[in-house]
Amino acid sequence: MQESNQSGKASRRAFLKSMMGTAVASTAALSLDAQARIHAPHELETLKDYEEHWGFCDMCYWRCGLKVRSRDGKAFKIDGNPEHPLNRGVVCGKGNSGIQVAFAPNRLKQPMERTGARGDNKWRPMPWDEALDKVAHELNKVKEKYGPQALVMIGHGTWEKPYHRLAHAFGTPNTTSPVFGLCCGPRGVANMLVAGRELGGNETLDLENCKYFLMMGRNVTESLHNGETLGWIDGVANGAKVTYVDPRYTITASKADEWLSIRPLTDHAFLLALIHVVIKGGLYDTQFVAEYVTGLDELAAKVEQYTPEWQEEITTIPADTVRRIALEMAQKAPAVLVYSPRRLTRSSNDLGTGMSISILNSLFGVWDRNGGIFTPQTFKIPEITLPEFPHAHVTRGETGGDFDFAQKPFATDAEGKIQRADGAGVVGRWPLANAQYGLTNEMWRAMAEQDPYPLKALLTAGGNGFSNSTDYDTIRKALLNMDFYVAADVIPNEMNSYADILLPEASYLERYDDLQTGGMQEGFVALREPAMQPLHDTKGSWDICKALSQRMGLEAWFPHDSIEALLEDRLKKAGLSLAELKEKGVIKIPADPKINFPREHGGKSVFPTPSGKIELIPSQLQALGMADAIEWAEQPRPKDGEFHFTFGRVGFHTHARTQDNIWLNYFMPENLLWIHPDAAVKLGISDGETVEVKDAKGRGGKIAAKVTPRIRPDTVFTVHGFGHWDTRMTTAVGKGLSDSLLASDTREKHIGSISMGMNMVTVTKV
């Protein structure tokens, strides 16, 4: 038996080590006509010289460093920048397909004005000067009639920063990005409340040296963030055990030692039972807890009721399995990680789930230890010097520049000035919500209901509200309520079909953007520069906002003559230059184990909570009357004939942004509905047959079934981002079913983020 286990483990490691190189072998899976195109015969020729330009990827939000080759003034190949800490030179299929963003035949190519009804896609071309003049005039008209707070700005991309600045200069506090309310918000708030340390979008986890991964639906092989995936593969190859917890048997589950097919929405119950066992059995790091932790006795009393037997009925995970996992992790600690999902927006109490993950990690003493959570180094590049913004809700950081909400979030304003319409950071509404990124779901609701005050102008930069939110009626009503809507984007989509003016952006291969700064074990600053001139009559985001600021009397907030001058200004403040950054595309501060892992080298951990310690019962929650967040909240279950509706990601696509990319569409042109064979037999459904999926509101549509034992019998699943209906999206239109039609739109009760996983659906054979 022992020999068999060892053999299986070696095989798994061999697979993982070779995993990142499988793209070469995958050519054999392509159709014959595709191979013919790849190997088309041609006359021998001497290839022309090419240039290389630096950048960072915009095909997902990991932002890998790039080296882009161009010839005859056009980009033709994307490679990874081997110096960049986020990807170590690796580029995935999505990253390679970025070429097709620039060369897409149906991308937005010139400014357009709507001539028909909103959403009808009837447009007339217009010159840039006319378009910008109209935008400035219409926004100022709304400002004069309703006040500056009537403008909402929603951005979603690595280029959105200038639009936030323009909106704040205009005088509105109402800027948002979906990253908080629709994705990572609960996870980040939980870590800040418990430990005072946000792990960031590029999590500060020592994956390579971890010895035990308890993965709560963190599907690293399909969400496919290159640096993270590489680190996890190295950790597993180095001997880490992987326990994967998910209703679905994902590719990541197939590489794990153990798959726990948990009931959807019950992760919190499972984690509470683990906390119960760890505390009751004394399995925690006693030295770390004694020095750095408060609230153990109070937490012990709260989790006394959450036994492994209690959770078994809720999660369907055996009680003995919970006890075993707690012991296994304790034996490997502190080189262990309870690995949070990236999108922690599912249940009515996502904050409790996130806190439980942070608490477990803290009980195992993983902070600042090898194989646990490290302290990052950040490359501090000061912002440019700007005037104060003309509204009450922005404080200035030490470096000046744009908004910094770290010290003074959008609290109650004693002077009576306008607060955020979405309530993010506002006492009495959603005080825990991040006021920098806001609650995009609540902002859509505020625009639809025109409450708490009129919201009459909208500026969007990328994104698609119909696909990243879950209530089409609210989004449509909000868009129709606008006196004026201007959309800046590279590609067409359903949301920007409602715009009055379309401003076409240069793709990320055709423009400069502001600096990328980050903190991993190495600190770094990276450059995005144009690899070619714009193919069409488009502009970069900074150039658009600069031109609008000049027309709106806001030029003081855009003082530079060019984006290059802005970059030079920022770098000069740090003692660097643009020329230096152009040498390798990235400048780094070397990793320093004494800084990254201070507790391995005689140093101390720092936890910037009110008490200066890990707070197992966070004092900030107590002050807000929310100490019940750690308690289990009952979640819905399907009735007879119903299923939990779940959705997720796949390595071929990013959200709803890439389905129209002709390269990526080739690999996955539409989504399918995963359904267990037992459920399929009861419904008379065979693999590949068309089914109709509906929720209690009657929302839904038709989709092909994928009958598979890789999912629980009480659950169905589909890949996120399909079901587009905008006819300008010529490759993606009419393919698959939108999960946004079926996901729930209720609020998380502590933060205000959206709880997407609470809907039940029926499935019927067509």
Side-chain angles (χ1 to χ4, degrees), residues 54-56 63 65 81 83-86 377-382 513-520 522-528 566-568 570-572 574-578 580-590:
W54 305 111
F56 46 93
R63 302 183 304 158
N81 183 348
E83 298 290 331
H84 201 291
L86 293 184
Q377 297 194 82
T378 56
F379 207 128
K380 294 184 178 179
I381 307 294
D513 276 316
D514 211 338
L515 300 170
Q516 179 193 22
T517 56
M520 301 299 284
E522 301 171 291
F524 68 92
V525 55
L527 175 68
R528 174 183 282 165
L566 181 150
L567 301 182
E568 195 73 79
R570 289 192 67 193
L571 290 165
K572 184 178 179 181
L576 303 170
S577 69
L578 188 56
E580 290 177 84
L581 189 53
K582 285 190 173 187
E583 290 179 10
K584 293 184 177 180
V586 62
I587 298 175
K588 296 182 288 188
I589 300 173

Side-chain angles (χ1 to χ4, degrees), residues 46-287:
T46 301
L47 293 178
K48 299 176 182 177
D49 290 339
Y50 60 85
E51 301 173 346
E52 290 183 341
H53 304 273
W54 305 111
F56 46 93
C57 190
D58 207 49
M59 296 304 292
C60 87
Y61 295 96
W62 194 257
R63 302 183 304 158
C64 294
L66 303 180
K67 182 167 58 175
V68 185
R69 302 184 204 179
S70 61
R71 181 186 294 123
D72 294 333
K74 294 182 180 180
F76 70 92
K77 180 68 171 70
I78 293 176
D79 295 308
N81 183 348
E83 298 290 331
H84 201 291
L86 293 184
N87 61 313
R88 300 183 246 164
V90 171
V91 178
C92 69
K94 291 177 293 187
N96 274 285
S97 73
I99 289 287
Q100 289 302 325
V101 175
F103 289 95
N106 60 341
R107 61 175 285 195
L108 303 178
K109 300 173 183 175
Q110 58 188 350
M112 307 283 281
E113 182 175 28
R114 180 175 55 81
T115 59
R118 283 184 169 149
D120 282 354
N121 276 326
K122 295 180 180 178
W123 309 93
R124 77 167 182 91
M126 63 195 309
W128 268 104
D129 283 342
E130 182 185 356
L132 294 168
D133 288 346
K134 175 123 187 198
V135 171
H137 173 75
E138 294 295 331
L139 292 181
N140 280 333
K141 187 165 73 172
V142 169
K143 185 177 186 177
E144 291 168 9
K145 185 173 181 179
Y146 300 102
Q149 73 281 352
L151 171 65
V152 173
M153 185 266 146
I154 302 176
H156 197 202
T158 58
W159 66 89
E160 66 186 85
K161 183 177 178 180
Y163 297 102
H164 286 276
R165 180 181 298 173
L166 182 70
H168 285 293
F170 186 81
T172 182
N174 293 319
T175 67
T176 83
S177 177
V179 66
F180 182 84
L182 305 179
C183 191
C184 302
R187 185 188 69 176
V189 171
N191 279 310
M192 290 298 292
L193 289 171
V194 173
R197 288 168 61 170
E198 165 67 273
L199 303 187
N202 306 110
E203 290 92 331
T204 53
L205 308 177
D206 186 22
L207 302 172
E208 291 86 349
N209 297 303
C210 184
K211 298 304 179 186
Y212 196 112
F213 293 106
L214 177 60
M215 308 188 75
M216 303 304 299
R218 188 54 179 269
N219 188 8
V220 295
T221 61
E222 293 183 86
S223 60
L224 202 59
H225 299 131
N226 288 319
E228 177 188 30
T229 306
L230 287 167
W232 182 78
I233 288 172
D234 286 345
V236 176
N238 290 336
K241 178 172 181 178
V242 179
T243 297
Y244 188 79
V245 185
D246 196 310
R248 187 171 67 101
Y249 189 74
T250 66
I251 292 177
T252 306
S254 74
K255 309 297 171 274
D257 297 88
E258 185 173 11
W259 171 47
L260 303 181
S261 179
I262 193 170
R263 190 196 308 274
L265 305 176
T266 66
D267 299 47
H268 189 202
F270 170 70
L271 294 164
L272 285 170
L274 276 172
I275 294 172
H276 171 99
V277 173
V278 169
I279 294 178
K280 197 92 169 172
L283 300 178
Y284 53 87
D285 185 328
T286 54
Q287 182 177 347

Side-chain angles (χ1 to χ4, degrees), residues 318-526:
D320 287 346
T321 300
V322 174
R323 292 190 174 90
R324 173 176 54 78
I325 289 171
L327 180 60
E328 288 174 349
M329 294 192 76
Q331 291 170 341
K332 299 284 187 180
V336 300
L337 287 168
V338 185
Y339 208 162
S340 172
R342 188 173 180 89
R343 171 176 266 177
L344 189 62
T345 46
R346 299 175 183 175
S347 75
S348 66
N349 187 13
D350 290 322
L351 179 59
T353 304
M355 286 173 56
S356 297
I357 291 171
S358 188
I359 286 168
L360 273 169
N361 280 324
S362 298
L363 290 173
F364 288 129
V366 307
W367 295 93
D368 300 315
R369 297 296 302 273
N370 291 337
I373 300 171
F374 64 83
T375 295
Q377 297 194 82
T378 56
F379 207 128
K380 294 184 178 179
I381 307 294
E383 290 284 357
I384 61 173
T385 302
L386 294 173
E388 295 289 343
F389 291 108
H391 59 82
H393 313 297
V394 180
T395 57
R396 303 305 292 272
E398 295 178 0
T399 57
D402 288 318
F403 42 82
D404 177 0
F405 299 91
Q407 303 303 318
K408 179 185 174 186
F410 287 74
T412 302
D413 181 23
E415 299 177 5
K417 294 183 180 179
I418 298 296
Q419 296 179 341
R420 291 184 60 104
D422 61 358
V426 177
V427 173
R429 296 188 66 196
W430 303 109
L432 289 175
N434 183 304
Q436 176 171 339
Y437 297 111
L439 291 164
T440 303
N441 53 307
E442 288 295 281
M443 194 64 77
W444 282 118
R445 194 189 307 269
M447 287 189 286
E449 299 174 359
Q450 294 294 294
D451 180 59
Y453 48 77
L455 297 165
K456 290 296 184 179
L458 175 63
L459 165 61
T460 62
N464 185 352
F466 285 105
S467 293
N468 61 31
S469 294
T470 59
D471 185 349
Y472 281 10
D473 291 339
T474 294
I475 304 301
R476 189 174 287 109
K477 184 178 179 182
L479 293 171
L480 292 175
N481 274 343
M482 295 300 103
D483 285 1
F484 183 71
Y485 169 27
V486 53
D489 210 333
V490 180
I491 59 175
N493 63 42
E494 289 80 11
M495 183 178 73
N496 64 43
S497 73
Y498 281 70
D500 297 289
I501 299 290
L502 280 174
L503 300 180
E505 290 187 334
S507 73
Y508 70 100
L509 300 178
E510 301 169 309
R511 68 181 188 225
Y512 281 102
D513 276 316
D514 211 338
L515 300 170
Q516 179 193 22
T517 56
M520 301 299 284
Q521 292 187 42
E522 301 171 291
F524 68 92
V525 55

